[in-house]
Amino acid sequence: MDIAGKVFIVTGGASGLGRASAEALAAAGVKVAIFDISDEAGEAIAKDIGGVYCHVDIMDEASVLAGFEKARAAKFDMIIADLNMPRMNGLEMIRTLRSEESRPEYRAQGRTRLIVCSGSPVPAQDVAQAATDYDRFLTKPVRLELLLQALQQG
């Protein structure tokens, strides 16, 4: 998969691995939508990389839906989600995404590709309970070159 020109959502993109991922993706020609609750940092990084910042608290379904709506304007192609963010639940965000994709008005857009990252294996029952599915699971710490390789593999 050629990622140049694609639009990706990066959760937690205002700091840490999310920020490094957003910057690396932008350097590779990807338009990035940053989902985070750190407005000042998120806005600054989005401006620096030519992306878009969406204030999203992934513990709040309405906030997630508003973020998806804002990012949909850019027609996003993929989401990179950290499942273990402080004060946030990545599995809930994924469940909300998959629920939205099942709505008739969004079905034509198809299933969004999803790469998830976690510092520990996600118990199978947690994944099943959240009604999630993903395309690739990467254990943190994730080296950026490994993340880019996973993205290129499509």
Side-chain angles (χ1 to χ4, degrees):
M1 169 196 227
D2 182 14
I3 62 172
K6 300 286 185 185
V7 180
F8 292 2
I9 293 172
V10 177
T11 64
S15 64
L17 175 64
R19 178 182 180 159
S21 298
E23 292 170 340
L25 290 167
V30 171
K31 173 120 177 159
V32 178
I34 295 172
F35 278 23
D36 210 301
I37 57 174
S38 300
D39 295 335
E40 189 174 323
E43 290 282 0
I45 293 159
K47 182 179 178 187
D48 287 348
I49 65 173
V52 61
Y53 173 72
C54 304
H55 178 94
V56 174
D57 177 352
I58 64 173
M59 293 296 288
D60 175 14
E61 186 172 352
S63 178
V64 171
L65 294 173
F68 285 146
E69 197 60 40
K70 184 174 180 180
R72 265 193 196 94
K75 297 180 174 59
F76 64 89
D77 299 290
M78 183 179 294
I79 298 176
I80 301 169
D82 186 339
L83 298 181
N84 302 111
M85 292 176 283
R87 303 182 329 259
M88 295 186 175
N89 182 335
L91 291 174
E92 275 303 304
M93 192 251 348
I94 296 165
R95 183 198 58 76
T96 300
L97 167 71
R98 295 300 185 222
S99 175
E100 273 291 286
E101 289 177 336
S102 69
R103 292 177 49 195
E105 62 268 34
Y106 298 118
R107 258 189 227 131
Q109 294 177 6
R111 183 183 169 282
T112 303
R113 289 199 58 235
L114 179 61
I115 293 180
V116 297
C117 306
S118 177
S120 59
V122 177
Q125 68 272 14
D126 288 350
V127 173
Q129 286 175 336
T132 64
D133 63 300
Y134 50 85
D135 298 286
R136 186 80 187 260
F137 180 89
L138 300 174
T139 302
K140 295 190 305 184
V142 176
R143 292 189 342 260
L144 286 177
E145 57 271 10
L146 183 62
L147 175 61
L148 290 173
Q149 180 184 19
L151 296 171
Q152 296 285 355
Q153 291 173 350

